[in-house]
Amino acid sequence: MKTLFFALLVSGSLFAQETNSEKLNIVKTNVTAYAFRNVNLTYERILSKKFSIAAGYGTVSKGKIPFSSSILKDTEFTDTQVGLTHFTIEPRIYFGQGYGRGFYLAPYYRHTTVNADNVTLNVDFATDSVPMKIAGKATGDSGGLMLGVQWFLGKTDSWILDFWIIGAHYGKGKGDFRGNSGRPLTAEEQAQVRKEIEDIDIPFVEYTVTTDTNGATINVDGPWAGLRSGLSFGYRF
C-alpha cells in the first residue's frame, strides 16, 4: 500500500509541469454510499490535462444488510450480519477542460472482501424448524469501466463534486461459507437445505452447495460482478 501511494506521488511530480494548476490533489468521499453504511475515502492525483489516477478504500461494518427486508423477503434468512471492504485503483481520462474537471472515462480494478459471521437460515422440515448459522468469507477481483463527470466549486475551485454516472465491473470470486445445523440432518432434509440455498438469487455471484449431516457448505468460485454509481464531495488542494 505504501509503495502504491509513493508511486502516485512520484508520477504526479513527473507530470506536474504539464498542468496549469498548483492544485494537483483531491480527497473526496462518496456521500450516497453512507446509506449503505459504506464509509469511504478516495485520493486522486492529477497527472496532466487528460490523465489522473485515484485510489479508494471503503468499508461496511458488520451489521444487517441494507434493505434486506426487500432483498430477502421471500427467503427464510434472519439476523443477516455481513461486513464488506473494497479497494479500487482507477486511472482517469478527462475530456474538455481536463486537469480533473469535466467528463471522464475510468478503467478500474477493484478487490472486494465479504465477511459473514452471523447469518441465520431457518429451514422448515415436516416435524420441526431448524436454524442454521452461516459464517465465512469470500473475495473477488474484477476490472471495469466507469463514466463520470467532475465539477470544481467555489470562488477558488477548491471544492469538487464528482458524479459517477455509471460503472460496471466483472471478474472472479472465491470463498467458502459454512452453515451448521442444530441437529443431525437426514438425507431428505439435506436435499431440502441444498434446494433452499440454491434457489436464493444473489446478484452477480455464482456458487455451489454441498450438504452433510451437520449442515451445508457454500462455495463461491466463479464470476464476480458489480455496478457503480454515486455522488462524491471533496476538497482540492
Side-chain angles (χ1 to χ4, degrees):
M1 187 71 72
K2 291 181 179 179
T3 302
L4 170 64
F5 282 102
F6 178 74
L8 292 178
L9 291 173
V10 170
S11 298
S13 298
L14 293 176
F15 285 91
Q17 65 271 22
E18 297 184 21
T19 71
N20 65 352
S21 173
E22 295 179 357
K23 298 179 179 180
L24 305 178
N25 307 287
I26 297 172
V27 291
K28 50 193 166 182
T29 185
N30 180 1
V31 293
T32 54
Y34 288 89
F36 302 90
R37 299 198 320 276
N38 187 338
V39 180
N40 63 93
L41 186 67
T42 296
Y43 168 70
E44 180 179 1
R45 176 74 174 185
I46 308 301
L47 303 179
S48 66
K49 179 177 181 180
K50 290 188 175 182
F51 299 102
S52 75
I53 189 165
Y57 177 81
T59 180
V60 178
S61 59
K62 289 179 183 177
K64 189 175 182 180
I65 298 175
F67 310 113
S68 59
S69 58
S70 298
I71 298 171
L72 304 175
K73 64 180 180 180
D74 296 323
T75 74
E76 297 299 323
F77 278 104
T78 60
D79 301 328
T80 51
Q81 303 292 311
V82 175
L84 178 148
T85 62
H86 57 82
F87 176 70
T88 308
I89 297 290
E90 180 182 296
R92 290 186 169 193
I93 305 168
Y94 281 93
F95 306 95
Q97 288 178 289
Y99 299 105
R101 187 200 311 239
F103 284 94
Y104 61 83
L105 281 176
Y108 64 91
Y109 160 79
R110 170 165 285 194
H111 176 78
T112 306
T113 301
V114 178
N115 288 283
D117 286 339
N118 183 27
V119 177
T120 302
L121 173 63
N122 296 305
V123 185
D124 295 322
F125 298 120
T127 57
D128 62 355
S129 178
V130 176
M132 297 185 61
K133 300 293 185 179
I134 300 175
K137 175 182 178 180
T139 60
D141 293 284
S142 51
L145 183 67
M146 184 171 71
L147 171 67
V149 59
Q150 186 160 266
W151 297 277
F152 295 168
L153 309 174
K155 292 182 179 180
T156 60
D157 289 339
S158 294
W159 300 99
I160 68 97
L161 199 62
D162 185 6
F163 178 30
W164 302 352
I165 299 173
I166 188 64
H169 50 274
Y170 183 86
K172 182 176 177 60
K174 192 173 184 64
D176 298 292
F177 296 88
R178 176 66 188 177
N180 294 313
S181 63
R183 64 166 175 78
L185 303 176
T186 67
E188 292 79 9
E189 290 171 338
Q190 292 178 44
Q192 181 178 336
V193 169
R194 182 169 59 251
K195 184 177 186 307
E196 288 201 19
I197 297 177
E198 288 176 342
D199 287 344
I200 299 169
D201 183 18
I202 302 177
F204 311 120
V205 177
E206 289 191 4
Y207 60 94
T208 58
V209 183
T210 57
T211 56
D212 53 51
T213 57
N214 296 315
T217 299
I218 305 165
N219 299 110
V220 177
D221 190 2
W224 184 286
L227 298 173
R228 292 178 69 190
S229 185
L231 188 66
S232 293
F233 182 72
Y235 184 72
R236 175 172 169 261
F237 59 97

